[in-house]
Amino acid sequence: MKGKIQISILSIKLLVSAVLFGLAMCVINSFISYREFKRQVESMYSKVTSQFAETAISYIDADRIFIWLTEGPDKYWDSMNARLNELTETAQLAYIYLTVVSADYKSRTYVFDTVNSLVLNDPFPLGYVESLERKTPDYIEDLQRIFDEGASQSYFSYKKNGGHVTTSIPVRDFTGTVIAVMSVVKPMNEIAEYKANYLRVLLFAALGFTAFFLVLYTFSLIRGLVQPLMFIIDETSHFAEHHGELTGLLKKIKNHDELGLLAKSVEKMSIDMNQYISELTSATAEKERLGAELNVATKIQAEMLPRVFPPYENHPEIELFASMTPAKEVGGDFYDFFMIDDRHFALTVADVSGKGVPAALFMVIAKTLLKDASFRYSLPSEIFTHVNDILCEGNESGMFVTCWLGILDVNTGKLVFANAGHTSPVLCKNGSVSYLESKPNLMLAAMPDMVYMDHEIVISKGDRLFLYTDGVTEAADKNENLYGEERLLNKMKNLKSENPRDVLDEVRSDIDAFVQGAPQFDDLTMLAMIYKGK
């Protein structure tokens, strides 16, 4: 009678514990899942609207903003306003507006304001002044960060029908000074339906799982959970006391649940151990085979990049050196340089999104297309437009490429270049070291039918260029501090040697000293060139 009472009490405790545990897990999992769902949705909308805002900025001539505010609209304003209206409609945005904020952050003046045809509002005209005094302190602080730090800001407003997201990014003039704010407003009407469906599925799944768990647990308890458990305890005690011998008591357990599996596992322990060792040996051999194949892939990728330095004996006016160090066995960064004809020299550095084998495959395609197009088109903008349209075709993986491409006339020093979302090179000219900044266009493979802009400078004998990918400036130490653009610029100002190979060695040594042994998380590519003139 006493044994039956003990078994009954144990069964009740297990059942109550299971019920409480199941309910607690339902609540916790539901809360965590919903927070993650909301975070993912906000991250997606923030990225999408940021890209649309960058695209909208690429339409605008920022240096004419104050001319329009002073003299009124002209044909250029009308053309840009039409393009922004077209982007508003095709991208299903609610608004796109560009404003100039007063120095005291008490008002802002509209330069552009486009409204989707589905929104029952009229756009503000050029020069319309709106008061900001009713805005919250947080809103004003975010505006100040845009101007002071050049940081983008996203605001989310939730309503019963879904709400909307507003993303604001800085607009810079030719000097790099933030002079205005470009804002994009995108409705989130579909989020209400997503939210309702998500919560409905989550609730049914949680309740169903809990009910199934309790039914299964109760059935197992009624069918003899406690008694098989006592058999296993007695047998394992005998196993430990008699040097691994079993009495055969486990044969009485007919359960097909975890207890039955546990009983069989004790009987087959030695067999399973031998099988495990065999499988581990096989897995080790397979890993070594894959490692060997990746080593071959690394060698093939390295051989695809130019490796002869100096590159051209018959063109002593060009001296350069380049390197690419992937974060994994293979990477997505690449550099290239080649003579287009007897006087035009092309050089490029690019960074494919992602890492590893997928990025390496996309890198091969992009590098081949860029070089082929360079022999068919004379301007970097034309090359980018052609390559971008090809890469966008069937790009279901959503990969993209940031790229800087320049074409140098080796006789005159004229350098024509275009920037597709890439980091700005460092230019060392007449003893001055600065970033060769330009308004970057959208990266390649992000959106078809893009128009890219050419920029032009003239470099003189002794001038130097340093091209790189963001693996340089975003190299992080153990505390996740970034190497940064300022440290790179200081290093370029204090080089001990102007020889391109030495330049790369000094920069890499400075990066290694900064990260202090922290692992490399991104591909690291650098190219240094000195123009020696005719």
Side-chain angles (χ1 to χ4, degrees), residues 44-201:
M44 177 190 69
Y45 273 98
S46 179
K47 290 179 181 178
V48 169
T49 51
S50 293
Q51 290 180 353
F52 283 134
E54 292 287 355
T55 301
I57 288 180
S58 69
Y59 296 162
I60 303 301
D61 185 355
D63 299 328
R64 299 184 64 86
I65 288 177
F66 292 102
I67 297 177
W68 290 324
L69 290 176
T70 303
E71 302 179 1
D74 54 19
K75 63 179 182 179
Y76 299 106
W77 186 93
D78 292 336
S79 173
M80 295 175 186
N81 190 60
R83 295 189 69 184
L84 291 177
N85 270 296
E86 181 181 359
L87 179 61
T88 303
E89 296 291 338
T90 56
Q92 298 181 350
L93 305 175
Y95 310 97
I96 295 179
Y97 56 92
L98 186 149
T99 57
V100 175
V101 182
S102 62
D104 57 5
Y105 294 94
K106 292 185 177 180
S107 66
R108 59 184 175 191
T109 304
Y110 282 78
V111 182
F112 291 96
D113 184 31
T114 63
V115 181
N116 193 293
S117 59
L118 298 178
V119 178
L120 301 179
N121 290 333
D122 294 327
F124 291 129
L126 171 63
Y128 177 81
V129 178
E130 180 185 23
S131 174
L132 297 176
E133 294 186 3
R134 291 188 176 183
K135 298 294 184 181
T136 64
D138 290 341
Y139 186 91
I140 300 302
E141 289 178 4
D142 288 340
L143 274 181
Q144 291 175 338
R145 275 195 289 271
I146 293 176
F147 282 89
D148 297 341
E149 304 173 10
S152 62
Q153 302 291 334
S154 292
Y155 317 91
F156 292 88
S157 176
Y158 293 97
K159 300 178 181 178
K160 291 183 178 181
N161 61 349
H164 64 271
V165 56
T166 302
T167 295
S168 300
I169 64 175
V171 179
R172 304 177 185 272
D173 61 12
F174 72 97
T175 66
T177 302
V178 179
I179 61 173
V181 177
M182 176 66 74
S183 300
V184 169
V185 181
K186 182 172 178 59
M188 297 191 300
N189 299 330
E190 66 271 20
I191 196 174
E193 182 179 352
Y194 291 161
K195 179 180 176 181
N197 290 337
Y198 181 81
L199 292 176
R200 189 181 303 112
V201 171

Side-chain angles (χ1 to χ4, degrees), residues 344-365:
H344 292 97
F345 175 70
L347 68 162
T348 183
V349 169
D351 183 1
V352 177
S353 60
K355 303 177 184 66
V357 175
L361 294 176
F362 206 77
M363 162 260 183
V364 173
I365 298 173

Side-chain angles (χ1 to χ4, degrees), residues 33-47:
S33 299
Y34 178 74
R35 286 191 60 184
E36 179 63 18
F37 166 78
K38 181 180 178 182
R39 189 187 70 81
Q40 291 291 343
V41 169
E42 289 186 352
S43 176
M44 177 190 69
Y45 273 98
S46 179
K47 290 179 181 178

